[in-house]
Amino acid sequence: MKELEIRKYYKKKINELKNHNKLYFEKSSPKISDGQYDKTKQEILDLEKKYSFLKSDSSPSTTLGYTPSKNFVKSKHRVKMLSLSNAFDIADLKNFEKKIFNYLNDKINVEYSVEPKIDGISASLTYKNGFFVTGTSRGDGTTGEEITENLKTISDIPHKIINKDFPKDIDIRGEVFIKKSDFNKLKNDFANPRNAASGSLRQKNPAETKKIPLNFIAYTYGYFEMDKIKRQSDFLNSLKKWGFKTNQYNKVLKTIEDLENFHKKFEHDRFDLEYDVDGLVYKINSLELQKRLGFTANSPRWAIAHKFSADSAYSQITDINIQVGRTGALTPVARIKPVNIGGVVVSNATLHNEDEIIRKDIRIGDTVKVERAGDVIPHVILVDLKKRDKKSKKFLFPKNCPSCGSETIKEFNKITKKYDAVRRCINEGYDCEKTSIEKIKHFISKEALNIDGLGKKVVEKFWDLKLIRFPYDIFNLDYIQISKLEGWGDLSVSNLKYSIDKSKKVSFDRFLYSIGIRHIGIENAKLLAEYTKSITNFLNFVKNEKLNEFLNIDGIGETQINSLKKFFENKSNYIIIEKLSSLLNIQDLKINKDGKLLNNTFMFTGKLTNMSRAEAKSLIEENSGSVVSSVNKKLKYLIIGEKPTTRKVQQAKELGIKILSQKEWLNLLD
Ligand code: IVH
């Protein structure tokens, strides 16, 4: 099968599985047998193993958190497991309280049971005559999965309760979760502790669940004949008495202001907790009032979850490391105590550059606010000076490259008349280890050679094994040696070989970009490629020291020219490109050979009307002409715009070169 067909087939299978999940869990009417379901699931997993390019958010390999499993028997909850409505700010809280007063038609003195909202998986445990008889996951709130045996492996869950006050028949509900320290050992397999807890609970074999240390904290009840207990806080105390773990931070508060203050403090300190908390739950403490208030369709009127920000969190800097980028830029990165920001555990935050550290006076040990919004890399937005240790010292930015020990500099920008905020290693070639690795990672990246199967991690591994030192080594890999490495099978090696071979055919502009010359991004690479047409031509410009000619290109300025010059001053860079051009099939930009202007050379001087230089140049090239940048015998026409350079016009006249106005030139083209 071809890649496209494989992708199509895989998508079809994923959609099939999605439909069956829906039929089973939402409609309770499965159309296939469990055996057939498992077969489809296995087929998807096998395809992913075989073809590393297959990925889907709905794959059973990634959706441990929510994909309902067919490994368990379904079980209807005696009392529905509802969810909570959310509050994000004080206005939402005031509104929540106002609605309560309106509903009760009374402005009562309320008391709230305040409980940390642990970000785990809720479970309902049925106890009859003191024995834990069935345990169920939340499922869709009405029906869950019976996971009794898995829950029994959790040491926080008592199997037998002998306390005489313990109700004869009760559902105890609470959160199953994994501690951050335990998650740390599993972080390669799951995005966050919640997914890890979910994955562990859903293991078919309880022995597997036992391998991942799960915890349980109790906070409410389902089915329960209430008698003596009058308040939620009393219920929490009873839970403790009966032998359940409850949250040590549970408390009772009275006013919205108290709630807000506690929330602020908790949000600020949560990174130091042993487990992930994504907000606080406020419940009207009186069970009688709870009963009066009742429920809306999905949630109780008497409780609300006050969420923490999903795009920022406080944490503490444990260390500051300096990373070296492909252009030698030194980027400081803060290692922080892991904190869950909107479902992603963040343990690193960029500090951008040396100036940023100085401006914010960021130090190791500081408590900082970290933002992670959208796809932006997590970064430090402020330092909480109140939390700073008096003995802390300013962070000293290294003056030498931490990778190769070379001198580092801050460049002076002639335009802004300021020193650059970024400090750089002066070693822009392949003599600096970290720079080299980053250059190779850039070379294989999506916009560059786009070598699937050779990800960043693989580059690092191959570097450590000395399999690659320069980009051209990629095309001389020892596949036999690779197939013997751990984690590499015949299939993954043949996939790698396939994508490397495929990448050999590359357009000239992409190739120019892939080299990773500073200031030569995708757009500039295109401009240079359009101007020089082929790698041979381009290298001739370099060899003949004619890089200044690129100033004729609209969009290319001194910054780019200087960067190109600096790059090629290092002779090894030139050699690397030559080697690559002999190994690769670099596609020239197509030149039209039968246009009206064939064999005619042009040059411009002065400003053109209604047309940029780039457009004028393209127009000439589309008609098979060429544009040069100096007046010499090879030049056929000098095109004069507004305010031409007198010297150029003079030279042209002396050499007998035809001089055209813009209009005359356009007439040549009709
Ligand atoms: S009470 C009807 N209390 O939050 C009230 N829930 O969206 C039901 N949670 O599924 C829940 N800590 O997984 C309650 N102290 C707490 C909680 C808590 C975490 C979770 C639970 C539930 C979700 C509600």
Side-chain angles (χ1 to χ4, degrees):
M1 262 198 286
K2 295 235 174 65
E3 191 180 308
L4 198 71
E5 285 168 44
I6 296 166
R7 282 186 197 277
K8 254 192 185 160
Y9 183 73
Y10 174 75
K11 210 167 166 195
K12 190 177 135 217
K13 288 284 148 190
I14 289 274
N15 283 336
E16 259 178 51
L17 201 74
K18 269 207 248 176
N19 280 337
H20 292 311
N21 279 337
K22 209 168 165 173
L23 287 168
Y24 182 81
F25 282 93
E26 287 174 28
K27 309 243 187 311
S28 293
S29 62
K31 294 270 181 299
I32 53 168
S33 71
D34 282 10
Q36 284 170 309
Y37 178 92
D38 286 340
K39 228 170 114 189
T40 310
K41 193 167 132 186
Q42 198 51 48
E43 198 178 348
I44 291 173
L45 296 174
D46 288 345
L47 279 168
E48 284 174 359
K49 232 190 229 161
K50 194 163 168 196
Y51 305 105
S52 57
F53 53 83
L54 295 177
K55 257 180 219 112
S56 162
D57 283 343
S58 312
S59 156
S61 62
T62 52
T63 53
L64 281 162
Y66 206 64
T67 308
S69 155
K70 290 210 88 179
N71 293 338
F72 303 99
V73 173
K74 288 207 295 174
S75 164
K76 199 163 186 270
H77 299 299
R78 293 195 282 184
V79 173
K80 261 187 163 191
M81 284 182 88
L82 295 165
S83 57
L84 294 168
S85 51
N86 292 324
F88 297 97
D89 54 29
I90 196 155
D92 293 343
L93 291 183
K94 284 188 173 153
N95 191 32
F96 163 68
E97 199 178 63
K98 198 171 123 199
K99 276 195 197 150
I100 289 178
F101 293 155
N102 285 346
Y103 193 86
L104 298 173
N105 203 8
D106 192 2
K107 202 172 173 212
I108 41 143
N109 280 330
V110 278
E111 225 180 52
Y112 292 102
S113 170
V114 178
E115 303 159 24
K117 185 171 180 294
I118 298 183
D119 194 10
I121 301 295
S122 52
S124 186
L125 321 172
T126 300
Y127 285 82
K128 291 197 174 167
N129 299 314
F131 286 94
F132 173 36
V133 286
T134 33
T136 327
S137 70
R138 182 173 179 274
D140 62 5
T142 306
T143 309
E145 298 152 344
E146 219 216 89
I147 47 169
T148 317
E149 293 313 310
N150 295 24
L151 288 165
K152 274 189 179 165
T153 66
I154 304 174
S155 60
D156 293 339
I157 296 179
H159 293 192
K160 187 180 169 198
I161 295 165
I162 33 181
N163 189 296
K164 64 175 171 29
D165 293 338
F166 190 59
K168 293 258 164 315
D169 190 1
I170 186 170
D171 297 332
I172 303 286
R173 290 178 177 174
E175 207 75 0
V176 176
F177 63 97
I178 181 169
K179 285 186 187 163
K180 287 187 203 170
S181 51
D182 290 320
F183 169 71
N184 214 21
K185 295 170 215 152
L186 302 163
K187 66 180 175 202
N188 290 336
D189 303 323
F190 302 98
N192 54 41
R194 184 177 196 276
N195 286 4
S198 168
S200 172
L201 256 192
R202 285 168 184 284
Q203 294 296 328
K204 207 170 186 168
N205 180 357
E208 290 299 314
T209 303
K210 211 169 177 173
K211 284 185 192 159
I212 299 181
L214 293 171
N215 307 269
F216 181 79
I217 272 188
Y219 49 67
T220 194
Y221 48 85
Y223 177 84
F224 175 33
E225 291 299 334
M226 218 178 317
D227 47 6
K228 282 172 251 147
I229 299 173
K230 301 277 178 250
R231 284 176 300 203
Q232 164 69 8
S233 52
D234 294 338
F235 179 73
L236 291 171
N237 286 334
S238 300
L239 281 171
K240 223 160 128 183
K241 208 169 59 191
W242 297 333
F244 292 96
K245 291 241 165 74
T246 54
N247 201 301
Q248 65 177 118
Y249 300 102
N250 289 342
K251 54 158 61 200
V252 174
L253 292 173
K254 289 192 169 140
T255 66
I256 297 285
E257 284 67 37
D258 290 345
L259 299 180
E260 176 72 8
N261 289 337
F262 184 65
H263 185 269
K264 244 192 207 142
K265 188 168 157 31
F266 213 88
E267 176 158 31
H268 197 285
D269 296 343
R270 74 179 171 103
F271 66 87
D272 252 343
L273 292 176
E274 280 186 303
Y275 42 79
D276 272 348
V277 170
D278 63 346
L280 293 173
V281 181
Y282 309 140
K283 299 172 183 167
I284 293 279
N285 203 18
S286 153
L287 297 189
E288 195 200 314
L289 280 180
Q290 283 190 11
K291 213 171 170 183
R292 273 182 67 195
L293 284 161
F295 302 87
T296 64
N298 295 313
S299 54
R301 285 194 190 86
W302 43 266
I304 198 157
H306 190 184
K307 301 296 284 266
F308 296 140
S309 162
D311 52 31
S312 73
Y314 283 87
S315 185
Q316 193 181 17
I317 299 183
T318 52
D319 201 2
I320 295 177
N321 297 150
I322 308 293
Q323 285 181 349
V324 187
R326 73 177 162 89
T327 57
L330 305 191
T331 306
V333 177
R335 307 288 170 208
I336 59 168
K337 287 191 178 168
V339 64
N340 189 327
I341 313 183
V344 175
V345 179
V346 176
S347 43
N348 303 312
T350 179
L351 301 172
H352 302 294
N353 52 54
E354 183 180 10
D355 279 11
E356 173 85 355
I357 294 197
I358 296 171
R359 192 168 51 244
K360 293 192 174 142
D361 185 18
I362 299 166
R363 305 177 183 194
I364 296 171
D366 274 350
T367 298
V368 289
K369 190 173 181 180
V370 175
E371 189 177 66
R372 184 199 154 266
D375 288 336
V376 182
I377 304 169
H379 52 280
V380 167
I381 44 178
L382 61 89
V383 175
D384 183 352
L385 292 173
K386 278 187 274 163
K387 292 250 164 168
R388 174 171 283 171
D389 187 336
K390 286 189 187 64
K391 283 184 234 136
S392 90
K393 290 196 185 81
K394 268 197 192 308
F395 179 75
L396 293 179
F397 205 89
K399 294 287 175 263
N400 288 81
C401 172
S403 170
C404 66
S406 298
E407 193 190 322
T408 62
I409 47 156
K410 282 178 137 204
E411 286 169 4
F412 187 74
N413 187 322
K414 281 186 201 148
I415 301 162
T416 59
K417 304 231 179 327
K418 275 186 191 151
Y419 280 97
D420 208 345
V422 177
R423 185 171 281 282
R424 280 171 203 284
C425 167
I426 55 162
N427 203 337
E428 232 219 85
Y430 283 84
D431 304 320
C432 175
E433 174 171 337
K434 288 283 187 287
T435 303
S436 306
I437 299 173
E438 293 308 314
K439 274 179 190 289
I440 297 171
K441 285 183 191 167
H442 170 78
F443 183 74
I444 57 142
S445 66
K446 261 212 155 30
E447 285 83 17
L449 258 72
N450 189 21
I451 309 184
D452 252 5
L454 190 68
K456 292 181 176 180
K457 285 263 169 319
V458 180
V459 168
E460 281 168 15
K461 187 161 180 190
F462 285 5
W463 179 277
D464 289 342
L465 294 168
K466 299 193 172 62
L467 289 171
I468 42 178
R469 282 289 174 270
F470 300 99
Y472 50 73
D473 293 331
I474 291 170
F475 306 99
N476 287 313
L477 283 173
D478 181 348
Y479 291 110
I480 295 173
Q481 192 187 342
I482 294 170
S483 67
K484 287 180 192 146
L485 298 175
E486 207 193 302
W488 285 86
D490 288 347
L491 191 73
S492 45
V493 171
S494 73
N495 280 344
L496 176 67
K497 191 172 178 309
Y498 171 76
S499 50
I500 288 177
D501 285 344
K502 203 173 73 175
S503 76
K504 283 185 181 166
K505 188 174 169 188
V506 58
S507 67
F508 172 40
D509 52 331
R510 247 179 197 258
F511 174 74
L512 262 187
Y513 168 73
S514 75
I515 302 162
I517 306 170
R518 197 172 155 211
H519 299 299
I520 308 299
I522 295 175
E523 286 311 314
N524 286 340
K526 238 181 228 160
L527 293 175
L528 289 171
E530 276 167 12
Y531 191 84
T532 57
K533 301 284 185 266
S534 71
I535 183 69
T536 323
N537 269 345
F538 177 83
L539 290 178
N540 279 337
F541 273 92
V542 178
K543 246 189 318 206
N544 301 330
E545 295 183 10
K546 283 196 162 165
L547 293 177
N548 278 345
E549 206 173 289
F550 296 156
L551 281 171
N552 289 324
I553 307 172
D554 214 12
I556 299 291
E558 263 185 51
T559 313
Q560 288 74 26
I561 305 284
N562 288 340
S563 174
L564 283 164
K565 282 183 184 166
K566 190 168 169 237
F567 182 84
F568 286 109
E569 264 166 28
N570 186 336
K571 290 286 167 280
S572 59
N573 281 333
Y574 187 89
I575 295 166
I576 288 165
I577 295 176
E578 268 195 328
K579 274 198 181 172
L580 280 171
S581 61
S582 70
L583 284 164
L584 301 175
N585 176 5
I586 304 169
Q587 310 275 295
D588 293 354
L589 258 74
K590 286 205 174 59
I591 302 168
N592 182 3
K593 290 248 174 8
D594 42 35
K596 279 189 184 145
L597 306 179
L598 188 67
N599 298 329
N600 287 319
T601 49
F602 297 84
M603 187 182 151
F604 297 101
T605 177
K607 192 178 177 304
L608 300 172
T609 24
N610 296 331
M611 193 181 273
S612 71
R613 280 273 175 98
E615 196 183 344
K617 182 171 178 286
S618 298
L619 202 55
I620 290 177
E621 285 166 354
E622 276 162 24
N623 288 284
S624 317
S626 59
V627 175
V628 296
S629 61
S630 61
V631 184
N632 57 40
K633 276 185 195 159
K634 283 185 198 154
L635 179 65
K636 197 157 177 193
Y637 298 108
L638 180 70
I639 302 163
I640 295 189
E642 256 175 71
K643 294 190 190 153
T645 312
T646 335
R647 193 175 44 86
K648 286 184 183 164
V649 181
Q650 196 57 39
Q651 274 178 334
K653 277 183 183 162
E654 280 165 19
L655 290 169
I657 291 163
K658 282 183 204 155
I659 295 173
L660 299 178
S661 69
Q662 183 175 349
K663 195 161 172 249
E664 286 167 322
W665 161 58
L666 288 171
N667 283 343
L668 285 184
L669 292 163
D670 290 337

